[in-house]
Amino acid sequence: MQRRSTAGDLIPINLEINATCRRRKAKRIRKLLQDLEAAATPEEEPRSSEASSSFPIPRQSHTDIIEEFIMAEEPRRVTLEDYSSSSVSQFFTGIAQPEVQAQTITYPPSLIQLIQNNMFHGLPNEDLYVHLATYIEICNTIRLAGVLEDAIRLSLFSFSLSGEAKRWLHSFNFQMNP
């Protein structure tokens, strides 16, 4: 089976791509070994007083160089475990939540909608103090057993921000990789 290249020439399809890659890699390693052996043969060079210092210059062995070459060539092998584990980093907010007595906190969707109707975007024409006063007024409309007012205000605060103000809040977050 053949396909056309952009130049119009026919290019044969390589059905043994893995074997071809192994052969090319072995050829590159052989060439690297030949280059290393050629560089390792001592040539008579005039020695300067700087070159004859008492500290020997460490040389890497051929096997170390080949291993580095092989590791640089091979991509990281993906296993089934990589697919089963979460690769999403955990984000921790910069807002410290106070401890609450309640097992779970459930806010009415209408409260979140009311907060989102009064969003602060961080624009120059918006007044931060008016937004905070309105936000606190909205948060004071709800009482939950075992939950402090401050806990309610802190947990809902991110819902009241958008745009540059939301980016500002996220700048205080830190990331922890699993």
Side-chain angles (χ1 to χ4, degrees):
M1 180 183 221
Q2 294 187 343
R3 60 184 175 177
R4 288 204 182 271
S5 71
T6 56
D9 301 333
L10 292 177
I11 302 171
I13 294 177
N14 188 351
L15 298 177
E16 296 294 326
I17 192 74
N18 288 337
T20 303
C21 289
R22 282 193 298 272
R23 276 194 309 272
R24 288 181 178 172
K25 187 175 185 178
K27 189 176 181 181
R28 282 194 307 263
I29 290 174
R30 281 193 301 273
K31 184 177 179 336
L32 179 67
L33 279 173
Q34 289 171 355
D35 293 344
L36 287 174
E37 288 174 7
T41 56
E43 295 180 13
E44 290 298 320
E45 293 182 16
R47 299 187 76 176
S48 66
S49 60
E50 296 165 0
S52 62
S53 75
S54 61
F55 298 106
I57 299 172
R59 286 190 169 183
Q60 284 185 310
S61 69
H62 294 316
T63 56
D64 292 341
I65 294 172
I66 292 171
E67 285 177 10
E68 286 179 19
F69 178 76
I70 291 171
M71 294 303 286
E73 289 285 315
E74 291 181 6
R76 188 178 87 75
R77 182 169 272 178
V78 180
T79 63
L80 286 176
E81 181 183 6
D82 295 332
Y83 289 110
S84 67
S85 62
S86 173
S87 62
V88 177
S89 301
Q90 297 176 348
F91 286 93
F92 295 94
T93 181
I95 299 175
Q97 299 285 334
E99 291 193 26
V100 294
Q101 302 295 328
Q103 293 290 331
T104 59
I105 302 174
T106 306
Y107 299 110
S110 59
L111 177 67
I112 295 174
Q113 186 177 9
L114 189 60
I115 290 171
Q116 287 180 337
N117 287 339
N118 181 42
M119 292 189 96
F120 182 75
H121 303 280
L123 300 174
N125 62 342
E126 290 180 308
D127 188 3
L128 173 64
Y129 298 106
V130 171
H131 169 73
L132 288 174
T134 307
Y135 173 74
I136 290 171
E137 186 179 351
I138 292 169
C139 287
N140 287 343
T141 61
I142 187 170
R143 300 270 186 253
L144 298 173
V147 181
L148 299 171
E149 286 179 355
D150 288 340
I152 294 171
R153 292 176 187 165
L154 289 171
S155 63
L156 292 174
F157 183 68
S158 65
F159 291 109
S160 73
L161 302 177
S162 177
E164 287 298 317
K166 190 78 145 190
R167 278 191 217 88
W168 170 81
L169 179 67
H170 288 308
S171 71
F172 295 106
N173 297 350
F174 59 95
Q175 180 178 357
M176 180 176 246
N177 293 324

